[in-house]
Amino acid sequence: QVQLVESGGGSVQAGGSLRLSCTVSTFPYTWDTLTLGWFRQAPGKAREGVAATYPGAGSTYYTDSVKGRFIISQDGATKTLILQMNKLKPEDTAMYYCAAADSRLWFGNSWSVPNNYKFWGQGTQVTVSS
């Protein structure tokens, strides 16, 4: 069973930065066969895909609202997924989740669809004040 544990959330002022980490236990899968994603959900809103990566091909994906501000990266040796968030805005305030899909989500925006991910972390809160 794949297990994911997020850390690194907190409160920051607009324009600041935060770094989210997610440690992943991949058994029985291997690191390079999983699609790993970050999602967020604000109160009263649907869960949305923020960024994802497929380590097997080095692919990365971002939703438009975070392009140029957020960077997703991964370390297969430590099985850690990172989301570096810069130039944060109040509208980035949400619960952030890391998730894993047991296949490559390469077609269109499939990486951003929550139902395509089988495994989820418990979430970490990010609050950005103006």
Side-chain angles (χ1 to χ4, degrees), residues 66-109:
V66 307
K67 285 179 181 176
R69 300 189 297 122
F70 291 10
I71 300 171
I72 189 170
S73 61
Q74 53 83 21
D75 184 338
T78 61
K79 293 189 171 57
T80 302
L81 181 69
I82 300 291
L83 185 68
Q84 178 65 42
M85 305 186 294
N86 302 317
K87 300 178 182 178
L88 283 160
K89 303 176 181 180
E91 51 263 43
D92 295 318
T93 295
M95 185 71 79
Y96 282 70
Y97 300 88
C98 65
D102 59 359
S103 63
R104 183 178 183 180
L105 302 176
W106 60 271
F107 183 76
N109 288 328

